Amino acid sequence: MNGKDVMHIADTPEKTITNLEFTNSGRYKGDNDGPAYVVYSKIGYNKASFEFKMSRIKLNMRRKSDQRWTNSYIFLGVDVYDEKEEFLNCIDAGFCYSGGALNWHLFYNLLNTNQKVSWYESPVALDETHDYRLILDCSGKDAMAVLTIIDITENEKIVDTAEFEVMYAKKDGSNLSMYQDYAIDFPDDIKKDRRGEDSADDWEEITLYNTDEDIYLNNIAIQDAKLYSPEGEYTWTKERTNDRFMWPHTQYKKIDYACTSIREQKMDSELLLDLDMNHR
């Protein structure tokens, strides 16, 4: 991205912060497949976690005009760097709500990997009336991670888990940046511009094509976000954050409404976020 300055949000903002007034720093490519908000930690952490209040979520992922589906993602991720802090690899892992499954379930996506499967969606459907803790742990072995979903409504029961490769990752976290990511994503069949023609990567046009189709992922409530290193466990405060990324942002003038809105934030351990692709 080509933004110049990051808007510094107060710990307890007096008003909602949206894409109409948020400018990205340009240090990260971020998540720009659809409306999204990402928080990147500083380098040096090997594990992250947060609580997702799934019971509070309000969503509609189906387009009203043709009943095609978008997808929702609530997840943690890892960026991997070399000794010069040049990017090497990344992985995403957490909660997915897809048109194919029509429920919340575990997923992961691996950018660079020796695994035969780089994209995975679990067959285990999560109870949408419950709340969950998500844990992404790279501390066990070099180049590996374990993702765990714990049902905090049902006595801290582990309900799903997955282990997968994170190429080049060091288990001490010395070359890792953890991140939180909240996003709507567009399957290939609705990646179109406003004329209805196929558009592979013009995300501004794709978003506008899908605007006012009653698509929303609202009331994303995240609590108790934490980071971990070999030295201990930490609340994910703004002092441990390297940057924040919102898509869209002020550079995208065609998108004239608030589709990404931070309603509350205790940086960066708590969040209340709306991704709403409708003029209201």
Side-chain angles (χ1 to χ4, degrees):
M1 294 299 178
N2 297 316
K4 295 180 180 179
D5 299 302
V6 171
M7 171 170 284
H8 297 286
I9 307 168
D11 284 359
T12 53
E14 295 180 359
K15 66 183 184 70
T16 297
I17 303 299
T18 78
N19 53 281
L20 299 177
E21 55 195 328
F22 189 106
T23 302
N24 291 326
S25 70
R27 290 197 295 270
Y28 289 89
K29 182 179 178 181
D31 188 335
N32 60 358
D33 294 3
Y37 181 63
V38 190
V39 180
Y40 296 93
S41 83
K42 294 177 179 177
I43 293 174
Y45 300 101
N46 57 9
K47 179 179 173 182
S49 66
F50 61 60
E51 292 182 2
F52 171 37
K53 305 301 181 181
M54 187 180 291
S55 62
R56 295 173 56 182
I57 205 80
K58 301 180 186 301
L59 66 81
N60 180 59
M61 293 291 103
R62 181 178 285 184
R63 287 164 43 90
K64 66 181 179 183
S65 64
D66 55 19
Q67 302 302 294
R68 292 178 177 176
W69 287 87
T70 51
N71 298 323
S72 297
Y73 296 96
I74 310 291
F75 62 93
L76 289 163
V78 180
D79 280 344
V80 186
Y81 296 91
D82 65 15
E83 63 278 0
K84 297 181 180 179
E85 296 191 7
E86 296 291 333
F87 177 83
L88 289 174
N89 193 20
C90 70
I91 63 98
D92 304 328
F95 301 97
C96 170
Y97 192 105
S98 64
L102 306 184
N103 58 50
W104 286 106
H105 53 274
L106 177 152
F107 89 100
Y108 63 74
N109 181 33
L110 315 179
L111 178 62
N112 298 313
T113 183
N114 293 313
Q115 287 188 195
K116 292 182 179 179
V117 176
S118 62
W119 177 272
Y120 171 76
E121 293 186 42
S122 171
V124 178
L126 301 174
D127 188 331
E128 296 176 27
T129 67
H130 288 198
D131 299 329
Y132 297 89
R133 180 176 297 107
L134 184 69
I135 304 172
L136 179 59
D137 189 351
C138 299
S139 68
K141 295 183 288 185
D142 285 343
M144 294 297 296
V146 176
L147 184 72
T148 306
I149 296 178
I150 296 173
D151 189 330
I152 57 179
T153 303
E154 194 172 340
N155 298 316
E156 301 286 327
K157 178 183 177 182
I158 295 176
V159 291
D160 208 354
T161 188
E163 185 174 9
F164 44 85
E165 183 181 43
V166 186
M167 284 183 66
Y168 316 118
K170 297 179 181 179
K171 66 180 182 180
D172 65 358
S174 58
N175 68 334
L176 304 182
S177 168
M178 313 298 291
Y179 55 87
Q180 309 170 33
D181 199 321
Y182 314 101
I184 292 175
D185 200 3
F186 303 117
D188 289 341
D189 64 350
I190 58 170
K191 289 181 179 177
K192 299 180 182 294
D193 62 25
R194 284 175 289 177
R195 296 174 296 177
E197 298 179 1
D198 289 343
S199 178
D201 57 5
D202 187 340
W203 302 113
E204 193 170 18
E205 278 293 318
I206 294 167
T207 298
L208 289 167
Y209 173 79
N210 288 285
T211 290
D212 293 329
E213 287 282 356
D214 201 31
I215 296 166
Y216 56 87
L217 177 62
N218 290 342
N219 217 39
I220 302 169
I222 301 299
Q223 294 182 358
D224 198 30
K226 292 182 179 179
L227 289 164
Y228 306 77
S229 75
E231 287 71 43
E233 170 187 310
Y234 315 95
T235 299
W236 193 325
T237 59
K238 61 182 180 180
E239 289 78 18
R240 301 187 184 279
T241 293
N242 187 39
D243 207 350
R244 302 174 187 86
F245 176 95
M246 183 180 284
W247 198 91
H249 63 100
T250 53
Q251 179 183 345
Y252 294 91
K253 303 299 185 183
K254 293 180 185 178
I255 300 176
D256 63 351
Y257 68 100
C259 56
T260 305
S261 304
I262 302 170
R263 290 196 279 134
E264 294 178 16
Q265 181 164 251
K266 184 177 179 182
M267 297 184 357
D268 285 298
S269 61
E270 296 184 14
L271 182 71
L272 186 59
L273 176 71
D274 291 337
L275 304 176
D276 193 329
M277 295 176 56
N278 302 279
H279 289 89
R280 298 295 188 185

